[in-house]
Amino acid sequence: MSDIKTELYFRDLFEHTSDLVHILNLQGQIIMVNPSWLFHLGYTFEEVNGRSIYDFIKTDYHPLFKNNRNEVIKGYGTKEIEFELITKSGSTIVVKGQVSMLDNKVDLPYTRAVLKDITAQKLIESESELIKLRLSKFFRHAPDAVIVINEKQVITEWNLKAELIFGYNYDDAFGKPLSDLIIPHRYREAHLQGMERFMTTGHGPVLNKTIEISAMHKSGHEFPVSLSISNIKIFDEWMFVAFITDITERKNLESIAAQKETELLQSQLLDQRKTNFLSVASHELRTPLTAIKGYGQLAYSLVENEPDSKMKTFLIKMNEQTDKLNHFISELMDLSKIENGKLSINKQKVEFDKLLTGIIDVMRPIIKQHPIIISGSVAARLEIDSTRIEQVINNLISNAEKYSESGAEIEILSYIKQDFLIVQVKDKGIGLAAENFEKIFDRFFRVQEITNHVNGFGIGLFISSEIIKQHNGHIWVESEVGKGSTFSFSLPLAD
Ligand code: ADP
């Protein structure tokens, strides 16, 4: 290329490049600037010609610029520089580029700078930094572990909770690929594929929803976490923010609860089966028993008038045993009714003293071995299911008989206290220890020491207490071992 052509070529470049070009003499005065330089700073060439470049450089950068030029002038080649220029309107622009000596042929030393305006880029960078800084501060003390990764899945944020639950501190984690740190080996491939898919398609199946997954601690052990990942675009760069909670404790509690529920269901099922069995069995027993009782009575009527008949004695005994069995079956039926919530109570108004006299009249011939004394009976008006209350009194008197020596007196006392009638059945029997006062009203409870000698199933008092409860009353015992027991119950007086 001829000299003229070369010069034309360079001039064209000088005139039309978007870079800012200035040429200074050794004193730093402007010898030449290109149109882009003038355009960016808002001057005409006449306004800047011969002026010191330092008039246009922000004061903070004067030492940097001076040093840079000195090095270049001393022959140390081309220097990179970034600084700020002041425009005619007083604003500043950030420029970046190279300063070097002008290759001249007239032996006049000049420096030349070719600069790019990077103000916009700087602004974006600083804003993006600011946003990241704000996010980082915001996440630092968050109650969840917060981990931020960039598009290359490199960790850029790792808060205090993340340090705590994963065992890596910030310095261990910062700049590392996420998959190397906390993702169990078997999920790593899927994680990388997921990231890739998102970068190419913009879709991520795990984004913006909460999932439960295994994570890996620094020590290598895995633990369950709940994870939700949000994606944010800061300027041109995607960031992925993961919020992670350690759910080990919750999972443990859940599995304990699930196990308990299974156990409960099983025991409820078992209970239900037992109750059903009770109900069916007691009905099935009752039918043949009624027939046995009927035929027994019929047979008795045939020998009734025969004096000293052995058959008569046998049939009386058979009848007594049938009654016992009948009583026991009734208790079983009541128990199954209580367990099914079907124990029905039909209340009617009654005079209690009349009811009591009737009950004792029936009981006396049965409880032959014990005198039954009614003391302090009162004419109280009650609204009760007489049959059920009779059942309670029978049960208490039968127990008094069962748990005391033959011949020992049984006393029935009733009196009114506030709005209640109190009925007491007192015996002089074996008594009870205080620790059993509550327990004896539980189903199937029997005092150990006596269960071997006295027949029973431990359901009579349970049924009695259910009956009294359904009458809005209360049942309790006072007793002393070896001296006797007083069983009492209360019933509200009718209006
Ligand atoms: P059962 O008499 O068939 O065992 P109950 O429910 O009527 O069933 O009584 C439960 C337990 O309470 C009895 O096994 C016995 O240990 C105790 N008990 C009940 N009544 C008396 C009493 N009058 N004196 C001493 N202990 C009694």
Side-chain angles (χ1 to χ4, degrees):
M1 214 187 288
S2 72
D3 279 358
I4 297 173
K5 262 193 177 168
T6 312
E7 194 174 333
L8 275 175
Y9 175 75
F10 281 118
R11 177 146 292 276
D12 187 69
L13 202 64
F14 181 76
E15 296 284 339
H16 293 104
T17 179
S18 61
D19 291 351
L20 289 72
V21 184
H22 67 227
I23 296 171
L24 311 175
N25 66 16
L26 285 187
Q27 287 72 45
Q29 289 164 316
I30 294 173
I31 300 299
M32 199 178 275
V33 290
N34 74 340
S36 177
W37 196 101
L38 292 169
F39 174 76
H40 276 89
L41 275 81
Y43 289 105
T44 61
F45 183 65
E46 287 69 36
E47 286 171 318
V48 302
N49 188 15
R51 283 176 65 183
S52 166
I53 190 67
Y54 292 101
D55 291 351
F56 304 96
I57 295 175
K58 199 172 164 189
T59 335
D60 305 353
Y61 293 95
H62 285 189
L64 174 78
F65 191 80
K66 198 170 273 168
N67 285 342
N68 216 285
R69 259 185 98 236
N70 283 345
E71 301 252 299
V72 170
I73 292 166
K74 277 185 207 153
Y76 293 130
T78 303
K79 291 278 161 198
E80 289 282 337
I81 191 164
E82 185 179 315
F83 61 100
E84 286 181 47
L85 285 169
I86 308 163
T87 67
K88 192 175 175 183
S89 66
S91 62
T92 56
I93 60 169
V94 187
V95 288
K96 184 180 179 178
Q98 293 96 23
V99 180
S100 54
M101 290 302 287
L102 188 69
D103 179 24
N104 66 86
K105 295 198 168 71
V106 282
D107 281 344
L108 281 173
Y110 294 111
T111 60
R112 171 227 296 129
V114 180
L115 308 163
K116 275 197 191 324
D117 181 353
I118 58 162
T119 314
Q121 187 190 330
K122 276 278 154 189
L123 201 69
I124 288 172
E125 269 175 27
S126 69
E127 273 194 36
S128 150
E129 282 311 309
L130 200 70
I131 291 170
K132 283 181 187 162
L133 196 73
R134 277 196 198 135
L135 279 177
S136 167
K137 277 191 174 165
F138 176 67
F139 292 146
R140 194 77 195 129
H141 297 279
D144 287 337
V146 182
I147 299 173
V148 181
I149 60 169
N150 64 16
E151 293 172 356
K152 295 182 192 82
Q153 70 115 11
V154 163
I155 296 166
T156 60
E157 183 56 49
W158 185 266
N159 76 346
L160 290 172
K161 198 62 189 267
E163 290 187 351
L164 194 76
I165 71 170
F166 292 106
Y168 294 101
N169 61 30
Y170 181 85
D171 294 333
D172 293 335
F174 185 81
K176 300 269 166 53
L178 182 74
S179 61
D180 289 3
L181 245 53
I182 63 162
I183 300 179
H185 295 274
R186 61 185 183 286
Y187 297 132
R188 288 186 184 171
E189 193 51 44
H191 165 74
L192 294 175
Q193 280 174 3
M195 287 288 289
E196 238 167 63
R197 190 176 333 131
F198 174 79
M199 295 314 296
T200 47
T201 64
H203 294 297
V206 297
L207 289 177
N208 299 308
K209 58 175 80 133
T210 303
I211 55 168
E212 290 184 1
I213 194 167
S214 266
M216 203 170 71
H217 187 266
K218 189 180 179 183
S219 67
H221 81 263
E222 287 187 25
F223 61 102
V225 293
S226 107
L227 163 75
S228 61
I229 308 175
S230 305
N231 52 326
I232 329 170
K233 199 167 204 172
I234 297 187
F235 298 103
D236 263 351
E237 200 192 346
W238 278 109
M239 276 174 49
F240 302 89
V241 186
F243 297 88
I244 302 170
T245 320
D246 179 354
I247 53 168
T248 312
E249 210 168 308
R250 200 193 82 202
K251 282 277 166 196
N252 286 345
L253 287 177
E254 272 175 13
S255 77
I256 292 172
Q259 194 177 337
K260 284 227 168 93
E261 192 154 322
T262 318
E263 282 169 9
L264 187 74
L265 277 175
Q266 273 171 351
S267 85
Q268 277 174 348
L269 202 72
L270 225 67
D271 245 29
Q272 188 57 45
R273 280 197 193 142
K274 197 187 67 205
T275 309
N276 290 348
F277 171 77
L278 266 183
S279 158
V280 173
S282 46
H283 274 101
E284 292 301 313
L285 287 172
R286 174 63 52 96
T287 319
L289 199 64
T290 312
I292 293 171
K293 173 121 181 135
Y295 285 118
Q297 278 170 342
L298 195 65
Y300 182 79
S301 70
L302 297 178
V303 290
E304 201 177 4
N305 297 325
E306 285 179 21
D308 305 325
S309 158
K310 273 203 171 151
M311 179 66 80
K312 216 166 111 182
T313 324
F314 294 155
L315 287 172
I316 290 173
K317 284 207 185 306
M318 190 178 111
N319 195 38
E320 277 172 11
Q321 295 305 315
T322 318
D323 283 346
K324 271 196 183 165
L325 206 53
N326 236 331
H327 175 74
F328 174 57
I329 290 170
S330 300
E331 281 194 334
L332 281 185
M333 287 173 94
D334 283 346
L335 183 67
S336 80
K337 279 183 196 151
I338 291 170
E339 291 186 343
N340 285 320
K342 285 183 183 151
L343 186 79
S344 59
I345 299 286
N346 303 309
K347 291 184 190 170
Q348 273 172 347
K349 290 208 168 138
V350 291
E351 298 295 335
F352 180 72
D353 53 346
K354 283 190 196 131
L355 176 73
L356 183 65
T357 322
I359 296 170
I360 302 304
D361 285 348
V362 177
M363 284 298 272
R364 274 199 182 109
I366 303 168
I367 314 281
K368 287 183 224 125
Q369 319 296 337
H370 298 259
I372 303 178
I373 301 162
I374 298 183
S375 57
S377 169
V378 284
R381 213 170 143 64
L382 305 174
E383 192 167 0
I384 53 170
D385 184 327
S386 310
T387 318
R388 289 293 181 191
I389 294 301
E390 180 174 354
Q391 188 181 343
V392 174
I393 296 171
N394 282 348
N395 179 235
L396 295 182
I397 295 177
S398 304
N399 280 351
E401 182 214 13
K402 268 202 301 192
Y403 301 108
S404 55
E405 293 286 332
S406 176
E409 158 183 299
I410 299 169
E411 183 190 351
I412 321 288
L413 175 71
S414 51
Y415 59 93
I416 287 173
K417 192 175 176 191
Q418 289 159 352
D419 294 334
F420 287 87
L421 170 78
I422 314 290
V423 182
Q424 296 188 315
V425 178
K426 296 176 181 227
D427 66 55
K428 296 195 168 82
I430 58 170
L432 283 159
E435 68 197 47
N436 294 322
F437 285 3
E438 303 264 323
K439 295 184 201 155
I440 51 167
F441 297 101
D442 291 344
R443 125 193 121 139
F444 305 127
F445 181 84
R446 306 196 74 213
V447 176
Q448 275 299 317
E449 305 89 74
I450 53 168
T451 43
N452 297 337
H453 339 284
V454 188
N455 291 335
F457 290 92
I459 47 180
L461 286 179
F462 171 70
I463 296 170
S464 298
S465 82
E466 284 298 315
I467 293 172
I468 297 298
K469 257 188 238 162
Q470 295 218 23
H471 282 83
N472 302 319
H474 185 55
I475 188 165
W476 69 101
V477 66
E478 289 147 296
S479 183
E480 209 178 314
V481 176
K483 294 209 166 148
S485 310
T486 300
F487 281 82
S488 312
F489 63 87
S490 61
L491 291 170
L493 297 174
D495 305 325

